[in-house]
Amino acid sequence: MSAERPIVVVTRKIPAAVEQEIATQFETRLNANDTPMSAEALEEAMRTADVVLCCVADKMTADIINTPGRRVKLLANYGVGFNNIDVAAAKAAGVLVSNTPEVLTEATADLAMTLVLMTARRTGEGERHLRGGQWTGWRPTHMMGTMVTGKTLGLVGFGRIARAVTKKAHDGFGMKVIFHDPLVPNGALGAEPRATLKEVLEESDFVSLHCPALPETRHLMNAQRLGEMKKSGILINTARGDVVDEAALVAALQRGQIAAAGLDVYEREPSVTSELLKMENVVLLPHLGSATLETREAMGRRALENIRLFVAGHPLRDRVA
Ligand code: DGY
């Protein structure tokens, strides 16, 4: 790296306090109008900067990573998931990749619980009903949902976010929590392990996905697995969109194979399969898992910490490639 101040490109607008912190330490190119960067703009960044602070919406493909004349040596991802980056290509090219774990655990777990409650209590539908001027007053059989307390929550994956969900669901809502994670054989925090995913799907009233997007987890929730859920089962996804086969999910909902779904992430973000938009029993949020000011600032500071360590020639705190 040259003796001049290292150049950091920040691909999207991040909380102002963190933008300022980055700008005081590095030659920083911010995205003032917050428009998505085109492939050409990302290539230009790869050629002219030392670090790109990118996020889930930036597709850091092998072509972009291998931009001829590349100067960038670190992709500091603003997010814990890094499936937007071709990590194998980065490794092969000697480009480091970092992420921002831990700081978004509670916010994402809160959002998973939000979706559990919203789907169970039909709150999206209820709000549309009221705002649409259809509410005629209280009546005993109006818009009945289902209880959360006492029900079984099945977690697919048992990492940090799933554990935070366990605490909220088990201690806060009196739910029985079970999980399947091939890497975690023993229970913890009141959650009981199940040897197979099938057992979790068959036993759970709510199934919440908490596994990373990997080739092995692509379309994990396919037609067969959705069919293994209870007919009254509700699917919650705050992980990554391509863990669910969205077409199979639409079919399962249309056939009444499962009762409802609460989604924060989609296979082809920002586009959402049009049939889902018409279903009252589906809650759809725009990838808000980590969207609190406190969390988004903490994510920025964690990315900045990795950039600082990289510039100082130290090992990264959160190196993923
Ligand atoms: C994450 O951190 O993975 C969030 O989904 C935003 O990318």
Side-chain angles (χ1 to χ4, degrees):
M1 203 163 317
S2 68
E4 290 156 20
R5 291 209 314 167
I7 300 173
V8 177
V9 168
V10 181
T11 61
R12 299 303 293 265
K13 199 162 176 42
I14 63 173
V18 191
E19 286 189 342
Q20 280 159 22
E21 281 176 45
I22 300 176
T24 56
Q25 297 172 48
F26 304 108
E27 193 59 48
T28 306
R29 294 192 210 137
L30 299 173
N31 185 342
N33 55 13
D34 202 19
T35 47
M37 281 176 72
S38 63
E40 293 71 33
L42 289 171
E43 280 165 5
E44 159 83 6
M46 294 300 285
R47 261 195 305 275
T48 57
D50 298 292
V51 176
V52 172
L53 188 155
C54 53
C55 66
V56 65
D58 304 307
K59 303 283 168 253
M60 304 307 287
T61 61
D63 282 350
I64 289 173
I65 289 166
N66 291 314
T67 299
R70 185 198 62 244
R71 168 170 167 168
V72 160
K73 283 273 170 6
L74 171 65
L75 297 175
N77 203 48
Y78 183 89
V80 66
F82 47 89
N83 59 314
N84 53 306
I85 300 175
D86 187 328
V87 167
K91 257 191 198 154
V95 173
L96 301 180
V97 180
S98 62
N99 69 343
T100 62
E102 293 155 10
V103 291
L104 44 71
T105 300
E106 294 300 330
T108 309
D110 284 352
L111 202 85
M113 288 309 298
T114 303
L115 286 172
V116 167
L117 291 162
M118 285 185 78
T119 47
R121 301 302 300 274
R122 302 172 60 180
T123 57
E125 187 184 348
E127 217 212 0
R128 283 190 291 279
H129 178 81
L130 183 145
R131 285 181 189 267
Q134 293 158 280
W135 189 36
T136 55
W138 192 90
R139 57 191 195 276
T141 56
H142 185 218
M143 217 168 261
M144 292 179 294
T146 185
M147 286 300 285
V148 165
T149 302
K151 294 285 171 63
T152 299
L153 172 64
L155 305 175
V156 179
F158 200 58
R160 274 184 293 256
I161 295 171
R163 285 165 198 251
V165 170
T166 298
K167 282 194 240 148
K168 294 169 203 289
H170 183 265
D171 303 352
F173 287 92
M175 298 185 87
K176 172 176 174 182
V177 182
I178 60 175
F179 70 89
H180 173 69
D181 186 325
L183 303 176
V184 186
N186 300 319
L189 306 166
E192 300 168 20
R194 293 290 180 268
T196 62
L197 177 55
K198 190 165 189 280
E199 287 169 79
V200 168
L201 300 178
E202 286 174 351
E203 215 182 302
S204 300
D205 300 299
F206 298 83
V207 171
S208 187
L209 306 178
H210 298 285
C211 52
L214 300 169
E216 307 85 279
T217 58
R218 183 176 153 71
H219 287 186
L220 183 74
M221 292 307 292
N222 56 19
Q224 185 202 320
R225 296 220 172 83
L226 289 163
E228 288 166 355
M229 287 177 62
K230 291 183 181 180
K231 269 194 179 338
S232 57
I234 297 179
L235 180 73
I236 305 296
N237 191 8
T238 54
R240 280 293 183 264
D242 60 7
V243 176
V244 177
D245 177 343
E246 221 164 89
L249 174 63
V250 167
L253 287 160
Q254 282 171 339
R255 289 195 205 110
Q257 278 178 322
I258 68 169
L263 308 175
D264 188 43
V265 288
Y266 306 88
E267 248 194 287
R268 288 167 288 274
E269 292 181 18
S271 116
V272 176
T273 304
S274 60
E275 285 89 340
L276 291 172
L277 300 171
K278 296 176 211 135
M279 294 178 178
E280 286 291 5
N281 54 343
V282 176
V283 175
L284 303 168
L285 300 179
H287 203 147
L288 293 180
S290 61
T292 68
L293 176 62
E294 297 89 333
T295 304
R296 292 280 165 88
E297 286 186 347
M299 289 163 69
R301 295 204 169 97
R302 189 75 173 237
L304 174 56
E305 186 183 345
N306 283 298
I307 297 171
R308 269 205 220 107
L309 289 167
F310 163 73
V311 168
H314 297 312
L316 304 182
R317 177 166 181 189
D318 308 304
R319 179 169 172 184
V320 293

